[in-house]
Amino acid sequence: MSVKLSFFTGGGVDGIGGNKILLESHGTALFLDFGKSFGEENKYFDEFLKPRSLNGLGDLLAFDLIPPLPGIYREDLVIPTQNWWEKVFSHPAFRDLTIQGVLLSHAHLDHSGYISLLSPDIPVYTSLPSALISKAIQDCGISDFLSEIVYSKRKEILEDGLICSDKNYSNPSQQRPYHVFTHQLLPESVRYFWNQAPGKRPLSPVSLIPILEEKVTIGNLPVRFWSVDHSIPGAGAFGINTPEGWVLYSGDLRMSGKQAKDTQRFTQEAGTLQLLLLIIEGTRASLNTNRGTKHFTEQDVADRISQIIKKAKGLVIADFGPRNLERLISVLKATEEVNRQLVITTRDAYLLEVLSQCGEVDLPNPLSYPHIRVYSEKRVRTSEWESTLLERCRTQYLTAEEVTFHPDDFVFCFSYYDFSELIDINPSGGVYIYSATEAFNEEMQLDAVKLKNWIDHFNFQLFGNPFAQENTDSYDPLHVGGHAQPDELLNIIETIHPRYLLPVHTECFEFFEKHFGTRKDIQLIRPKAGESVVLP
Ligand SMILES: [Zn+2]
């Protein structure tokens, strides 16, 4: 018996994000995440040149952006007259394969994005919050074949061999089976949320399947789930008990957030297992850091935000990453301390409402919480999810006019993409707290310049710096990321002490080489796209 792991282009082994690692053992095949690689996709595509839905999987296969495994994809995205599989037949990773599931570590799209393309009967195993976040993203987003992570509209293949949406709206969308790790039975409101889809088309519902004991058997393999700390609720690590020993997959994790004890528990418990392999993320791995430098925590960020809001005059805008709900709670607390109200977008309210009801995350229900208001953007036509939400929250509803007259009453959770609302609100000065990741590529630098132009135009005082790098002199601790620092990574690895170590989601394999390259007790594996390794 052995364990085989296969790696793919943009699959988390040649950069950050896009994790999709195939594990095969004991007659069972599972993917560890099935993410979209933004880096790899952006080499060829952008906002104005997207993979065409009319060509199904074709555009993605042409650039080796998805694994060349014909047996795992939606049939309605494959055009029978096109010979894609013949074209990729000589690819070293090509083979016909069926899989028994995807273990989804968390709901960031670089881990979940391409689930949309998988055959609708392939089940996803994840935490309850990750499932709900994935559905909320899909419900509120633009509908296309790359965003159907939870339910999909079957496509039609036309006579000329092009793919288009089924125009018969009485044909239901197909829901994918989700098995969710949770600590209690699913509340009625959560089950209702799961089995409804906005829009004209009905949904052929597949109920959430709860897993109450943090363990489940998939095919022939027992699997364990541990919650870990990351910058989105519901993140987890997996353990797969193969006949050769345990394979652990960290997903994305950190030690600096309020759930740091979850990461510690995972590390401690994993260390007691009979371990074969640890697959660990290395986003922050770097050769240029000094051990022992102070790491800021979410609490440091919360304290700094609170300090700024206490002194602020005029409108306050707090800008942080989407679905970073821990940060949202920090801003909410600071807002309550000065008796302002927190203003969130309808998208945030939609997500927060269902997460507050699921019993897994400590969050207020925005529709009944006195210090939260929901901002309603001007729209010619409102989507169904949004209009029903606005009906449910009439008393919380806030318009631009109200803000213009009382800017000192509010703290807005807005980002660059919500800026057109500022034209209607027309603030004269105020405070802008930039609490998101610094620009790390050219595209983000350009966006940061535009962000700064808007801030200057409305005379906001800026705190935090969209251009600054963490650990530099000009760094104001207004943001901490979602990933473990280099010394924390080393501690995790030493505590778990696997026989084999396989770093993913990193741009600095050299860091692992430096620390483990010559070790006899822990053997380092360098994964390569298009290749497989067989252990032991
Ligand atoms: Zn992540």
Side-chain angles (χ1 to χ4, degrees):
M1 295 253 192
S2 59
V3 179
K4 182 175 176 183
L5 294 144
S6 305
F7 315 105
F8 304 94
T9 305
V13 294
D14 37 17
I16 291 170
N19 284 19
K20 24 183 147 32
I21 299 153
L22 175 63
L23 177 145
E24 292 166 272
S25 172
H26 206 16
T28 302
L30 298 170
F31 260 103
L32 311 178
D33 286 332
F34 205 75
K36 164 180 164 144
S37 167
F38 288 91
E40 207 58 34
E41 209 182 290
N42 289 346
K43 277 190 192 168
Y44 309 101
F45 297 106
D46 68 19
E47 205 187 331
F48 303 105
L49 177 64
K50 289 179 186 297
R52 298 163 299 172
S53 67
L54 63 83
N55 203 29
L57 302 178
D59 289 5
L60 298 164
L61 281 170
F63 294 103
D64 198 21
L65 293 171
I66 51 174
L69 303 169
I72 66 172
Y73 294 107
R74 286 166 55 175
E75 279 175 12
D76 62 328
L77 296 180
V78 177
I79 301 171
T81 52
Q82 304 232 359
N83 52 351
W84 297 327
W85 300 126
E86 282 167 37
K87 284 183 200 156
V88 296
F89 187 73
S90 57
H91 191 295
F94 177 87
R95 68 204 151 104
D96 209 359
L97 175 85
T98 49
I99 59 170
Q100 280 67 52
V102 175
L103 308 184
L104 172 62
S105 63
H106 62 289
H108 280 149
L109 292 173
D110 62 333
H111 293 254
S112 66
Y114 284 161
I115 288 174
S116 187
L117 307 171
L118 293 174
S119 176
D121 53 356
I122 293 176
V124 174
Y125 296 81
T126 193
S127 70
L128 176 60
S130 295
L132 299 176
I133 295 168
S134 299
K135 179 164 186 294
I137 293 173
Q138 183 174 350
D139 286 352
C140 303
I142 296 162
S143 162
D144 87 2
F145 79 115
L146 288 169
S147 64
E148 299 182 321
I149 295 171
V150 175
Y151 52 93
S152 54
K153 296 188 286 256
R154 213 184 142 71
K155 303 283 183 282
E156 252 185 297
I157 298 175
L158 303 173
E159 276 174 18
D160 53 8
L162 299 179
I163 290 176
C164 86
S165 291
D166 176 4
K167 293 283 180 290
N168 182 350
Y169 283 95
S170 59
N171 289 337
S173 296
Q174 169 77 46
Q175 194 158 26
R176 183 182 298 283
Y178 269 69
H179 299 249
V180 290
F181 295 92
T182 174
H183 295 97
Q184 57 200 17
L185 293 175
L186 301 174
E188 180 57 38
S189 56
V190 166
R191 281 188 277 143
Y192 178 81
F193 168 84
W194 186 257
N195 289 142
Q196 305 290 320
K200 288 186 227 159
R201 197 179 292 274
L203 180 68
S204 170
V206 178
S207 296
L208 282 169
I209 304 144
I211 305 167
L212 292 167
E213 299 287 322
E214 292 181 326
K215 23 185 169 180
V216 65
T217 297
I218 309 172
N220 299 318
L221 298 175
V223 171
R224 260 212 72 173
F225 176 84
W226 289 269
S227 292
V228 296
D229 186 28
H230 186 40
S231 50
I232 188 168
F238 287 97
I240 303 104
N241 191 3
T242 76
E244 297 299 326
W246 284 83
V247 173
L248 295 180
Y249 173 55
S250 71
D252 285 353
L253 48 68
R254 66 174 176 183
M255 309 290 282
S256 58
K258 305 225 164 98
Q259 309 301 323
K261 59 178 185 335
D262 287 341
T263 306
Q264 277 157 5
R265 180 179 157 233
F266 159 65
T267 309
Q268 296 299 339
E269 291 187 11
T272 65
L273 299 172
Q274 205 219 338
L275 217 67
L276 177 69
L277 167 72
L278 170 63
I279 303 170
I280 191 162
E281 70 120 322
T283 314
R284 301 299 299 268
S286 160
L287 295 174
N288 308 323
T289 45
N290 303 322
R291 286 189 91 166
T293 48
K294 175 177 164 45
H295 302 319
F296 293 112
T297 63
E298 273 293 329
Q299 191 54 50
D300 295 323
V301 175
D303 294 344
R304 180 77 182 107
I305 288 175
S306 163
Q307 239 177 33
I308 295 169
I309 292 180
K310 271 190 187 129
K311 290 190 187 147
K313 300 252 178 312
L315 188 66
V316 175
I317 295 181
D319 176 355
F320 48 89
R323 297 171 279 282
N324 186 344
L325 299 181
E326 197 168 319
R327 190 71 45 82
L328 187 137
I329 295 304
S330 300
V331 178
L332 174 63
K333 283 197 179 129
T335 303
E336 287 184 58
E337 280 165 16
V338 294
N339 225 2
R340 289 186 183 232
Q341 289 184 310
L342 187 78
V343 184
I344 59 176
T345 61
T346 46
R347 271 193 179 78
D348 286 339
Y350 187 79
L351 173 64
L352 213 54
E353 185 189 19
V354 67
L355 285 182
S356 71
Q357 293 163 349
C358 83
E360 296 289 317
V361 201
D362 187 17
L363 292 167
N365 185 336
L367 306 196
S368 56
Y369 196 77
H371 279 276
I372 295 182
R373 301 288 294 273
V374 179
Y375 185 81
S376 165
E377 287 178 28
K378 273 187 197 161
R379 292 199 203 282
V380 176
R381 229 181 41 221
T382 310
S383 313
E384 193 194 308
W385 69 267
E386 197 170 24
S387 53
T388 52
L389 177 93
L390 289 171
E391 265 167 42
R392 290 201 297 282
C393 69
R394 283 215 182 114
T395 54
Q396 317 282 113
Y397 186 103
L398 182 73
T399 58
E401 290 73 38
E402 197 178 332
V403 187
T404 308
F405 290 116
H406 306 283
D408 288 288
D409 290 352
F410 305 107
V411 173
F412 269 65
C413 293
F414 260 18
S415 69
Y416 174 64
Y417 299 101
D418 305 305
F419 271 12
S420 44
E421 299 310 310
L422 292 179
I423 300 169
D424 300 337
I425 296 169
N426 196 23
S428 55
V431 162
Y432 196 94
I433 304 172
Y434 186 79
S435 179
T437 185
E438 69 276 358
F440 55 77
N441 61 31
E442 227 172 283
E443 214 173 37
M444 289 175 79
Q445 292 278 357
L446 290 175
D447 282 350
V449 170
K450 276 186 257 182
L451 175 109
K452 186 73 172 49
N453 290 342
W454 280 78
I455 290 170
D456 292 345
H457 178 86
F458 287 106
N459 296 315
F460 279 105
Q461 185 185 1
L462 172 64
F463 289 89
N465 185 348
F467 303 99
Q469 299 284 321
E470 213 172 308
N471 300 328
T472 57
D473 292 344
S474 62
Y475 185 69
D476 191 354
L478 277 169
H479 176 64
V480 292
H483 305 277
Q485 300 282 351
D487 54 340
E488 294 165 341
L489 286 173
L490 294 178
N491 284 338
I492 292 170
I493 296 165
E494 294 294 358
T495 308
I496 294 180
H497 207 96
R499 259 168 79 195
Y500 294 93
L501 175 68
L502 198 157
V504 293
H505 208 276
T506 183
E507 283 172 346
C508 191
F509 189 83
E510 296 71 25
F511 168 82
F512 296 93
E513 216 148 44
K514 178 181 163 193
H515 293 282
F516 301 98
T518 55
R519 288 270 290 261
K520 297 266 183 307
D521 54 336
I522 298 178
Q523 280 193 49
L524 184 64
I525 302 172
R526 179 161 206 163
K528 286 209 180 70
E531 293 184 4
S532 301
V533 293
V534 177
L535 297 176

